[in-house]
Amino acid sequence: MKTSYIVIGVILFILFIGGCGCVGSYNKMVSLDETVKAKWGAVQADYQRRADLVPNLVATVKGVANFEKSTLEDVTNARAKATSITVDASKLDPESIQKFQAAQGQLTTALGRLLVASERYPELKATENFSTLQAQLEGTENRITVSRRDFNDAVQNYNTKIRSFPSNIIANMTGFKEKGSFQADAASQNAPKVQF
């Protein structure tokens, strides 16, 4: 009889320790998930800041006579597409991140063409408003880079936790899914050609 109490006590103790471990693991996954959502909010805020700068930049450039109309249209259309793609923080799967990144990449490319084309217009480069907007845009691009890196770090921590044993068992039972992260653009795999 005394032995059965000891066995029951040991079993209850093991269940208690296991339960505490499961609760702790679940709470850690929740914490990491919330960190990913917060970092995603920072990414969105930085991209929104860039989108807010674009109309002012386009308006400033339009003031220059004979500026390439197609370049301005490309920037405006890319901005419209980039701001139309929204990703819910609770659905940060790899496909959603890839769509968001593709739309933002189109805006980045269009802005790059605009800034390169502006080099041919010394009167545009001489305006204080254009110089200020260009500096703000450059600063915003740096902020985007930092927020994307922070987001990717948070996603890596989260994905590592939900894929590690025994957390993966709890993650599968409670619905925690792998999240997507930003990847290098395919074009960045090729070195730029330099010609003199």
Side-chain angles (χ1 to χ4, degrees):
M1 187 78 158
K2 188 175 181 184
T3 315
S4 62
Y5 286 132
I6 293 173
V7 170
I8 291 173
V10 168
I11 291 172
L12 289 176
F13 179 74
I14 291 171
L15 289 175
F16 176 75
I17 296 297
C20 288
C22 289
V23 169
S25 185
Y26 177 81
N27 288 341
K28 181 66 176 176
M29 286 185 281
V30 168
S31 175
L32 291 172
D33 185 45
E34 290 302 316
T35 300
V36 168
K37 289 177 185 176
K39 298 297 183 183
W40 179 247
V43 167
Q44 287 183 309
D46 288 337
Y47 275 117
Q48 184 61 52
R49 176 181 162 84
R50 178 174 74 171
D52 292 345
L53 288 172
V54 170
N56 293 333
L57 188 64
V58 169
T60 301
V61 171
K62 274 185 181 177
V64 174
N66 300 324
F67 194 85
E68 292 91 347
K69 184 178 179 185
S70 64
T71 303
L72 294 176
E73 287 175 356
D74 288 348
V75 170
T76 303
N77 292 337
R79 179 191 181 273
K81 185 172 182 179
T83 56
S84 71
I85 304 285
T86 57
V87 179
D88 183 8
S90 63
K91 296 179 180 139
L92 295 171
D93 57 66
E95 295 81 25
S96 298
I97 297 295
Q98 188 176 28
K99 287 178 188 174
F100 181 82
Q101 183 176 356
Q104 294 299 332
Q106 289 175 354
L107 179 55
T108 299
T109 301
L111 283 170
R113 283 193 307 266
L114 173 73
L115 294 175
V116 166
S118 69
E119 293 292 322
R120 289 178 266 176
Y121 296 89
E123 66 273 16
L124 175 63
K125 289 174 58 180
T127 65
E128 184 178 336
N129 195 18
F130 181 77
S131 296
T132 301
L133 287 168
Q134 191 174 13
Q136 286 181 356
L137 189 60
E138 182 180 314
T140 300
E141 292 296 332
N142 290 336
R143 290 167 81 165
I144 288 170
T145 299
V146 170
S147 64
R148 282 174 51 149
R149 184 182 62 233
D150 291 347
F151 173 77
N152 279 352
D153 288 347
V155 167
Q156 180 184 10
N157 290 337
Y158 169 85
N159 286 343
T160 300
K161 180 67 176 176
I162 68 163
R163 292 181 60 218
S164 299
F165 183 80
S167 298
N168 61 341
I169 296 168
I170 298 162
N172 287 333
M173 290 184 340
T174 55
F176 286 96
K177 304 281 185 216
E178 189 171 342
K179 298 195 182 295
S181 59
F182 287 99
Q183 305 296 320
D185 291 329
S188 69
Q189 300 299 322
N190 302 323
K193 294 179 183 175
V194 179
Q195 295 177 337
F196 294 102

